[in-house]
């Protein structure tokens, strides 16, 4: 029996060291290519190289986001649909993987995504469907996003961007009642305009919800007064770090002559998860993933239509890392419980081995110690900032220039040939900074 | 004992058992395909909308439309234009399949006539082409003879999903309720001349633990 245990222990050590703690190489290569401004090359890498089964979800997520950035919306839709289908298939606890992770680490398990990532799958799908003018499918995604929000409301409710997009998707699909419910819930949770009150007000008036319309109008007036733009004299939409900063006093939107450009503005890259460590004793410690706390200002935008600076734009702002941190925090108890179980299992195994063979026990202890690594896998191609920019524009073909400040970085971009129809929304997506395509996409 | 008499090859008992087991496992793991008669039976792998639901919806609504008293009141076969079925569920369902199948069954029953809205632009383009001088006059279609529809056929598919609350359990249960509403609107009067719906409720359960 001791001999059998001896062999099993040696085999375990070998297996432990073979168990990789790294994301697939091809996934990393694709991410490097994406952040080098080469989304097409990144997609080619993801298409041709095999990704380990444990990281398949990440491959779908990255493919979906990179294709979205490259303007390949159908490809993005297919990848994100595959991601969601995979999540449904993975919605069980694998005894085999959990067993393996008890003597190794969480890298031994199949990545199932964080709650914020589950929601962002639908957020990017809503954007994709709106960009290809499939409003009914955007509304389907909005309903799915609501299910995710319902299940994990506390950590996700501050994802203002996704929530505003849900309301907008319902509105686009001709469901103003559903849109009104979401606008109202969102504004009640925000407690201020937040860049969405103008859209909510317009929709409420369309439905004849005068009480709610009055509430939204008051919020807009408050924000305008705070920013000193009630008299419409400000030349630029100079948003500040304050997420309330929106110049949106033009509530009487002229639907007969004007339309609106809704820009899905994405900038920067989400900070990566980092390993946190908690030492229990000299030979035992727990490693867990964390998100760094780095104060980061919101994007600062200046918008010109043609050569004319505009002030009547509303911006809903979300920093993805804030929601990601809250979502990871919501799993805190689960992560801690698993850590305790792992520490107990490893300690037990090492002690048993030591009783049989001192050297083997020591080797196992070292192996277990070395293998204690935090699972820092995440959807790394996400942007740091998600801004829903709503710009009222006269009907016709328009050109919009943007000057965007992200901390000490300044980006300039021009959107050309925007077809604006009276009373309608036109949707465009733009990624700036890391991950932005180096060459202009068609 | 398994033996090959031609080569005189003999296997020991454990090897023979291993070979037999391997062969059995290989057969067990082989991919299989079989054809299913669409009319045969109802097949559901989970609680989500599937082919069997479409069949049930189409059959029930077609039967209802063919048995409506509306047909008795009309002096000629009603002419219908379909405006599709709105998908208000939380799933990506191609509702075009439902409206196409209902239209097909009604055409085959011969009680209604349909105008093809989807081909309207193509028909106009073809007519323009014929009248642009490329086609001999006697072969050109006569303009102004398109059928005018009396009714619009349109509907909505909705769903409500309920999941079992989070609690200690070994399976996860999900209840999905589908409601398909279809109506026929008189274009002249705006009256809804006929309406019916089909409701489907289904529960599925999935184990929480797996290998």
């Amino acid at each position: 029996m001791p001999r059998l245990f001896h062999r099993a222990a040696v085999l375990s050590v070998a297996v432990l060291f073979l168990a990789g703690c790294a994301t697939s190489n091809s996934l990393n290569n694709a991410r490097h290519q994406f952040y080098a401004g080469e989304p097409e090359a990144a997609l080619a890498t993801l298409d041709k190289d095999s990704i380990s089964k444990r990281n398949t979800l990440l491959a779908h997520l990255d493919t979906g986001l990179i294709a979205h950035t490259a303007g390949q919306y159908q490809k993005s839709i297919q990848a994100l649909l595959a991601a969601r289908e995979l999540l449904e298939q993975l919605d069980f606890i694998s005894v085999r993987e959990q067993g393996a992770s008890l003597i190794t680490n969480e890298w031994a398990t199949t990545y199932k995504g964080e709650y914020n990532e589950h929601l962002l799958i639908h957020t990017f799908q809503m954007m994709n469907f709106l960009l290809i003018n499939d409003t009914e499918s955007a509304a389907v995604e909005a309903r799915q996003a609501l299910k995710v929000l319902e299940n994990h409301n506390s950590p996700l409710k501050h994802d203002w961007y996704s929530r505003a997009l849900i309301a907008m998707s319902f509105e686009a699909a001709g469901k103003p009642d559903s849109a009104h419910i979401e606008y109202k819930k969102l504004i009640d949770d925000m407690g201020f305009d937040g860049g969405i009150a103008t859209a909510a007000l317009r929709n409420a008036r369309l439905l004849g919800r005068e009480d709610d319309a009055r509430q939204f109008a008051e919020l807009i007036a408050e924000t305008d007064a705070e920013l000193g733009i009630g008299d419409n004299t400000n030349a630029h939409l100079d948003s500040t770090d304050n997420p309330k900063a929106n110049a949106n006093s033009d509530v009487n939107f002229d639907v007969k002559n004007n339309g609106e450009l809704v820009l899905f503005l994405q900038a920067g890259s989400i900070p990566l998860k980092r390993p946190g460590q908690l030492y229990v004793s000299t030979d035992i410690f727990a490693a867990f993933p964390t998100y760094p706390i780095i104060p980061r200002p919101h994007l600062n935008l200046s918008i010109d239509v043609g050569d004319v600076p505009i002030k009547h734009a509303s911006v809903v702002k979300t920093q993805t890392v804030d929601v990601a941190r809250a979502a990871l925090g919501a799993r805190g108890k689960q992560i801690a419980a698993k850590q305790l179980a792992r520490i107990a299992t490893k300690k037990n195994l090492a002690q048993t081995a030591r009783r049989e063979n001192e050297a083997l026990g020591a080797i196992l202890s070292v192996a277990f110690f070395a293998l204690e690594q935090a699972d820092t896998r995440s959807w790394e191609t996400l942007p740091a900032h998600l801004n829903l920019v709503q710009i009222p524009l006269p009907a016709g073909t328009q050109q919009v220039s943007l000057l965007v400040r992200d901390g000490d970085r300044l980006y300039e971009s021009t959107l050309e040939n925007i077809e604006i129809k009276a009373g309608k929304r036109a949707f465009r997506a733009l990624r700036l900074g890391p991950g932005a395509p180096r060459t202009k996409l068609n | 004992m398994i033996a090959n008499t031609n080569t005189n090859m003999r296997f020991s008992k454990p090897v023979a058992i291993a070979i037999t087991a391997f062969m059995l496992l290989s057969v067990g793991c082989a991919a299989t395909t079989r054809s299913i008669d669409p009319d045969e039976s109802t097949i559901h792998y989970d609680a989500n909308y599937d082919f069997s639901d479409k069949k049930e919806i189409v059959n029930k609504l077609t039967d209802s439309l063919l048995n409506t008293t509306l047909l008795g009141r009309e002096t000629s076969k009603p002419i219908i234009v379909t405006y599709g079925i709105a998908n208000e569920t939380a799933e990506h369902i191609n509702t075009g399949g439902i409206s196409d199948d209902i239209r097909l069954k009604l055409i085959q029953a011969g009680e209604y006539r349909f105008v093809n809205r989807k081909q309207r632009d193509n028909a106009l383009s073809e007519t323009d082409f014929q009248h642009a001088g490329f086609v001999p006059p006697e072969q050109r279609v006569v303009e102004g003879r398109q059928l005018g529809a009396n009714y619009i056929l349109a509907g909505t598919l909705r769903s409500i999903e309920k999941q079992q609350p989070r609690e200690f359990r070994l399976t996860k249960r999900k209840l999905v309720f589908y409601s398909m509403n279809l109506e026929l609107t008189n274009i002249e009067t705006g009256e809804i001349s006929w309406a019916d719906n089909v409701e489907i409720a289904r529960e599925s359960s999935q184990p929480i633990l797996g290998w």
Side-chain angles (χ1 to χ4, degrees), chain A residues 24 26-31 33-34 39-51 55-56 58-67 75 381:
Chain A
S24 306
S26 42
L27 204 56
N28 286 331
N29 290 343
R31 286 168 172 174
Q33 286 167 321
F34 172 68
E40 310 283 354
L43 287 173
T45 302
L46 286 167
D47 280 347
K48 72 173 167 44
D49 290 359
S50 62
I51 310 276
N55 295 325
T56 307
L58 287 169
H60 288 320
L61 296 178
D62 282 338
T63 303
L65 192 136
I66 295 168
K75 188 179 175 78
T381 47

Side-chain angles (χ1 to χ4, degrees), chain A residues 162-237:
Chain A
S162 297
R163 294 181 60 186
L165 202 53
I166 289 170
M168 224 170 247
S169 296
F170 283 137
E171 218 183 333
K175 303 285 163 208
D177 283 302
S178 302
H180 179 73
I181 294 167
E182 298 313 316
Y183 278 134
K184 188 158 169 52
K185 281 193 315 198
L186 175 57
I187 289 173
D188 285 347
D189 281 349
M190 280 177 158
F192 57 91
D193 174 349
I196 204 64
T198 306
L201 172 60
R202 216 177 296 145
N203 189 57
R205 284 191 176 154
L206 182 79
L207 290 168
R209 306 276 185 116
E210 288 308 322
D211 285 350
D212 291 332
R214 212 168 297 123
Q215 180 206 341
F216 302 151
E218 279 167 17
L219 286 175
I220 294 166
E222 274 174 30
T223 307
D224 282 359
E226 218 171 282
L227 297 170
I229 57 170
D231 56 357
N232 290 348
T233 51
N234 267 21
H236 271 253
L237 172 85

Side-chain angles (χ1 to χ4, degrees), chain A residues 81 84 88-89 91-97 115 125 129 136-141 143-144 147 150-152 175, chain B residues 46 48 85-93 95 156 158-159 161-163 166 172 174 206-211:
Chain A
L81 281 176
R84 174 158 186 264
E88 278 180 14
Q89 289 166 11
D91 191 17
F92 72 95
I93 298 164
S94 164
V95 177
R96 177 175 51 85
E97 287 188 352
Y115 303 143
Q125 287 291 54
F129 283 119
E136 193 171 86
S137 297
V140 167
E141 290 295 333
R143 289 183 200 103
Q144 292 180 0
K147 275 201 269 184
E150 192 186 335
N151 288 336
H152 311 288
K175 303 285 163 208
Chain B
D46 54 35
N48 293 342
I85 291 159
N87 175 17
E88 291 190 14
T89 70
E91 290 169 60
H92 291 287
I93 296 171
T95 53
T156 309
R158 296 185 178 88
S159 71
E161 186 185 314
K162 203 73 199 156
Q163 282 183 333
R166 283 164 177 266
K172 266 182 282 192
K174 187 168 90 166
Q206 195 187 332
I208 283 177
L209 293 175
W211 182 244

